[in-house]
């Protein structure tokens, strides 16, 4: 059988939750799927930093802090994660500060986290690809730089491996909008225009380690003044072990204004803001810059699909933002890419 008549796999670029959700749905429909990601493993912004320093091993979620589940299909998926032990409800003591007054937010929201770390649901989804055998393939540390339509299907060129020999029946992009634009400008200008219309913002995160529990009356706080927007006792999340860790997230506005600043100056500024809230000096502080953290405003297309070219896009930036939006976007694109 020639390569022109053999069933060709579908390429999914990006192994965050949107890409993995899309790959999962495609595999359930019987397709062969190849997942590529430039990182060493899955999860995208559902990330956890794990390291060891002179004070010992530690971990801290430094991307998405929690997620909610309003949609029935996503609630069912989260229930599967809970049953597998890779997610749990986080019953955090929350507070809000406007610069003058502390209040307690009263919302009925259930907040979930990955367990024992935020990366766990994505890692579990990748493990679920293994039983599918030859129909599922993952390739890490592969930065896709070019897409080309050839007579025998879509060709992929990556920075690490050059032109890949495999051809694909469709290419589905599950990466931040700014990374989509150069890939689609020549082969799908309409898709590049959609991605170009999404304004993605950066975010600085600072992870803190302590030798003893920090005495503050809340586990997470929404800060509506100064450079900070979110502060959390990361070690209060279910399934965590190890030392006391805290996470400081700067506001999108402050982060954008300081996106090229040094990690040292950002750390100093956010620690000073935390000290005003009563936070003590940590043993160690580690900063991380998210170049593409959120979209303001997020698009509401759900996903994007060009049936003639067999190119598509999914991601939280296309579906209202948030973890739930990412998963639903991947499901929606898989339905579009699967002929009925």
């Amino acid at each position: 059988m020639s390569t022109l008549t053999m069933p060709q796999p579908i390429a999914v670029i990006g192994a965050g939750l949107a890409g993995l959700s899309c790959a999962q749905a495609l595999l359930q429909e019987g397709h062969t799927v190849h997942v590529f990601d430039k990182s060493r493993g899955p999860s995208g912004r559902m990330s956890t930093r794990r390291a060891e320093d002179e004070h010992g091993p530690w971990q801290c979620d430094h991307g998405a802090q929690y997620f909610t589940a309003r949609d029935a299909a996503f609630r069912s998926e989260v229930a599967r994660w809970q049953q597998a032990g890779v997610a749990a409800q986080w019953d955090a003591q929350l507070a809000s500060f406007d610069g003058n007054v502390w209040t307690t937010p009263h919302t009925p929201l259930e907040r979930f986290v990955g367990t024992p770390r935020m990366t766990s649901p994505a890692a579990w989804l990748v493990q679920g690809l293994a039983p599918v055998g030859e129909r599922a393939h993952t390739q890490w540390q592969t930065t896709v730089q070019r897409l080309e339509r050839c007579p025998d299907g879509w060709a992929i060129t990556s920075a690490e491996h050059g032109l890949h020999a495999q051809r694909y029946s469709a290419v589905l992009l599950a990466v931040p909008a700014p990374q989509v634009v150069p890939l689609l400008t020549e082969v799908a200008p309409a898709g590049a225009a959609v991605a170009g219309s999404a304004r993605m913002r950066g975010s600085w995160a600072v992870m803190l380690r302590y030798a003893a529990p920090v005495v503050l009356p809340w586990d997470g706080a929404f800060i509506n003044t100064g450079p900070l927007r979110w502060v959390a006792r990361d070690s209060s999340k279910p399934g965590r072990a190890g030392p006391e860790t805290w996470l400081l997230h700067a506001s999108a506005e402050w982060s954008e204004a300081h996106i090229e600043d040094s990690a040292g100056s950002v750390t100093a500024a956010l620690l000073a803001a935390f000290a005003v809230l009563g936070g003590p000096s940590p043993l160690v502080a580690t900063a991380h810059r998210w170049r593409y953290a959120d979209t303001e405003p997020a698009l509401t297309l759900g996903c994007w699909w060009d049936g003639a070219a067999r190119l598509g896009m999914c991601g939280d930036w296309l579906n209202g933002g948030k973890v739930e939006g990412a998963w639903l976007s991947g499901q929606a694109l898989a339905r579009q890419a699967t002929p009925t």
Side-chain angles (χ1 to χ4, degrees), residues 35 66 80 121 132-133 146 197 231 274 285 289 300 310 325 328 338:
V35 179
Y66 59 82
R80 290 202 319 132
V132 184
R146 186 167 185 263
S197 72
V231 175
F274 187 39
R289 178 179 59 191
T300 56
R310 293 196 58 75
L328 291 170
T338 300

Side-chain angles (χ1 to χ4, degrees), residues 64-323:
Q65 291 295 288
Y66 59 82
F67 53 91
T68 57
R70 296 173 174 86
D71 180 86
F74 186 58
R75 287 192 70 86
S76 295
E77 179 69 7
V78 172
R80 290 202 319 132
W81 298 351
Q82 289 178 280
Q83 187 173 12
V86 297
Q89 188 171 333
W90 182 31
D91 296 318
Q93 295 292 320
L94 298 179
S96 180
F97 184 57
D98 66 2
N100 295 305
V101 179
W102 286 95
T103 57
T104 301
H106 295 286
T107 60
L109 286 177
E110 294 175 310
R111 293 175 172 85
F112 299 93
V113 298
T115 53
R117 58 193 66 93
M118 193 60 81
T119 55
S120 298
W124 183 74
L125 288 173
V126 169
Q127 290 173 5
L129 304 183
V132 184
E134 295 182 358
R135 288 202 299 113
H137 172 75
T138 54
Q139 187 165 332
W140 310 114
Q141 296 181 299
T142 300
T143 308
V144 175
Q145 291 185 315
R146 186 167 185 263
L147 305 176
E148 182 182 2
R149 187 64 183 264
C150 300
D152 54 348
W154 283 103
I156 286 175
T157 298
S158 70
E160 295 82 2
H161 308 288
L163 179 64
H164 293 228
Q166 179 70 57
R167 297 295 179 264
Y168 297 94
S169 65
V171 177
L172 311 181
L173 300 169
V175 296
Q179 295 175 2
V180 169
V181 174
L183 292 173
L184 294 189
T185 296
E186 292 186 9
V187 296
V194 170
S197 72
R199 178 177 173 262
M200 296 202 76
R201 306 182 298 182
S203 176
W204 276 103
V206 174
M207 296 154 272
L208 311 178
R209 277 94 79 206
Y210 292 92
V214 171
V215 181
L216 285 172
W218 34 263
D219 299 315
F222 303 97
I223 311 301
N224 299 308
T225 183
L228 290 172
R229 278 302 175 268
W230 169 255
V231 175
R233 190 192 311 265
D234 192 78
S235 47
S236 73
K237 296 175 181 177
R240 272 53 178 177
E244 176 96 350
T245 54
W246 283 71
L247 188 281
L248 312 179
H249 261 163
S251 72
E253 295 78 13
W254 191 91
S255 294
E256 284 288 288
H258 298 270
I259 200 69
E260 299 299 341
D261 287 7
S262 69
S265 66
V266 167
T267 299
L270 297 191
L271 282 177
F274 187 39
V276 172
L277 305 177
S281 297
L283 285 172
V284 185
T286 304
H288 178 87
R289 178 179 59 191
W290 292 102
R291 180 71 72 174
Y292 307 120
D294 71 356
T295 312
E296 183 56 42
L299 304 185
T300 56
L301 298 176
C303 66
W304 180 88
W305 171 246
D306 182 336
R310 293 196 58 75
L311 289 171
M313 301 182 291
C314 62
D316 61 1
W317 62 271
L318 277 158
N319 197 35
K322 311 298 182 185
V323 169

Side-chain angles (χ1 to χ4, degrees), residues 1-8 151-153 165-167:
M1 186 178 291
S2 72
T3 57
L4 289 174
T5 57
M6 288 178 62
Q8 293 174 307
D152 54 348
Q166 179 70 57
R167 297 295 179 264

